[in-house]
Amino acid sequence: MDASLRVTFGDSLCDAVARHLDSISKHNGLLETAGIKFVSEAIIASSLASGERARRLNARLGETLYDQPLATLLLGNPRTATMFALPLCFLAERPPGADAVAALFCELHEAGATKALSYPSYRNLEMDYIHAKLTGRSFRCRPFDGLTLAFPWMTRDQVYGLTHAFFYDSDFCRRTVRSSPEQKWILDALLSKACHQRDSDVLLELVLCRTALEGRTAQESAPEDRLVRDTLDGFLDREGRVNREVEFERYYHHLFLAWIYVARREGGCAPIEHMDEVERLASLGRLMGSIGGGDTPGAPAPYGALS
């Protein structure tokens, strides 16, 4: 993906987000849960992307999320503040309503009301990450803690737990994460399995995690460009714009992940051939598929980039 195509993709995704934002329904003036999720993810992605269009979109999304009548909702159930907390860390401009949500979240967190043993561990990490960001403190965690030799049998939710812990530790891929050779190999194995199974959502999250590993080489990063480009081929038209035929509400998360990746590749995503690395990941994918019983029934052949 060259620089011009990167701009075309980013601008067209901004347009697609704006169109979808106009179509979101409200109940008594408030966004419904699906709308909150979409706007929250769009705020994060537009913050991590680049360009004036993304900045303006981020500001509009922030106004949409925090200038709605949240006071009534939060008074009725203060813990609802956790639904609106993560985007607070990614606002280009803070609307007036955002400060009240931030203050309420910090009060709840410091009282121990945002976490529970019954929650997934990565969800509790998210609460700690948000509090650290809102109070100007540093935050680090250990994404690989708890991984064992049983990692080939990790469920999809468990892999998401790993990627989210990775995002919090790396400040959403804006700083590097240290890893041992064994931990790096596990990340590669999980990525290869997701590729082999054509699970593009998990694949893109793992690709982003891989970009934040400390000490990566050009050879190691080459397959990532190909994987992202191959994934985007299913969503873009010939000019590199988001295809209007795509079911945007279903696939916006994939597009946001790709947008963040493309923005991080400031030099563009021109293909670099390193067939040894490509074949290594392909072999890992086949191995993981066989060990974990992982081939999805009826799934198409693996991505061309790693086949």
Side-chain angles (χ1 to χ4, degrees), residues 106-173:
C106 289
E107 183 178 340
L108 289 169
H109 188 78
E110 289 158 14
T114 63
K115 299 163 67 174
L117 291 175
S118 59
Y119 295 158
S121 59
Y122 69 86
R123 196 267 188 190
N124 289 329
L125 279 177
E126 180 181 305
M127 298 299 105
D128 289 336
Y129 169 81
I130 295 168
H131 184 257
K133 294 289 287 185
L134 294 180
T135 55
R137 302 174 186 176
S138 61
F139 178 85
R140 298 306 297 243
C141 62
R142 297 177 180 273
F144 293 103
D145 274 8
L147 283 185
T148 68
L149 290 176
F151 75 89
W153 293 272
M154 288 173 70
T155 66
R156 199 166 186 262
D157 284 346
Q158 288 171 329
V159 177
Y160 276 126
L162 171 64
T163 60
H164 285 218
F166 215 97
F167 292 156
Y168 308 141
D169 187 50
S170 65
D171 197 15
F172 282 77
C173 303

Side-chain angles (χ1 to χ4, degrees), residues 186-201:
I186 289 174
L187 193 64
D188 282 354
L190 293 172
L191 182 148
S192 300
K193 181 179 179 180
C195 178
H196 192 71
Q197 294 181 327
R198 298 188 64 86
D199 190 339
S200 54
D201 194 66

Side-chain angles (χ1 to χ4, degrees), residues 5-15 53 240 259:
L5 189 55
R6 183 173 72 244
V7 172
T8 302
F9 166 50
D11 285 351
S12 71
L13 185 52
C14 286
D15 292 337
R53 290 285 306 278
W259 194 20

Side-chain angles (χ1 to χ4, degrees), residues 148-304:
T148 68
L149 290 176
F151 75 89
W153 293 272
M154 288 173 70
T155 66
R156 199 166 186 262
D157 284 346
Q158 288 171 329
V159 177
Y160 276 126
L162 171 64
T163 60
H164 285 218
F166 215 97
F167 292 156
Y168 308 141
D169 187 50
S170 65
D171 197 15
F172 282 77
C173 303
R174 288 178 288 191
R175 63 187 177 205
T176 58
V177 173
R178 292 183 178 180
S179 62
S180 68
E182 294 79 13
Q183 291 167 339
K184 183 178 176 183
W185 188 92
I186 289 174
L187 193 64
D188 282 354
L190 293 172
L191 182 148
S192 300
K193 181 179 179 180
C195 178
H196 192 71
Q197 294 181 327
R198 298 188 64 86
D199 190 339
S200 54
D201 194 66
V202 172
L203 171 70
L204 289 170
E205 290 211 2
L206 288 165
V207 164
L208 279 177
C209 293
R210 203 170 184 262
T211 66
L213 286 174
E214 189 175 68
R216 283 168 5 100
T217 65
Q219 176 175 339
E220 290 170 333
S221 65
E224 297 160 4
D225 287 352
R226 301 184 66 186
L227 288 169
V228 174
R229 284 169 35 246
D230 278 9
T231 303
L232 281 176
D233 281 346
F235 299 114
L236 307 185
D237 61 22
R238 291 183 178 180
E239 286 73 39
R241 299 183 179 87
V242 176
N243 194 328
R244 291 200 179 211
E245 301 295 319
V246 168
E247 192 179 347
F248 188 73
E249 189 171 4
R250 180 179 178 185
Y251 291 111
Y252 68 78
H253 185 65
H254 299 64
L255 291 164
F256 289 166
L257 293 170
W259 194 20
I260 296 168
Y261 175 84
V262 170
R264 286 179 52 77
R265 299 287 282 129
E266 295 179 355
C269 294
I272 307 171
E273 299 299 335
H274 283 288
M275 295 310 297
D276 290 346
E277 180 69 2
V278 170
E279 179 53 36
R280 183 180 74 85
L281 291 178
S283 298
L284 267 178
R286 293 189 290 269
L287 176 63
M288 288 289 290
S290 62
I291 291 176
D295 282 348
T296 305
Y303 284 111

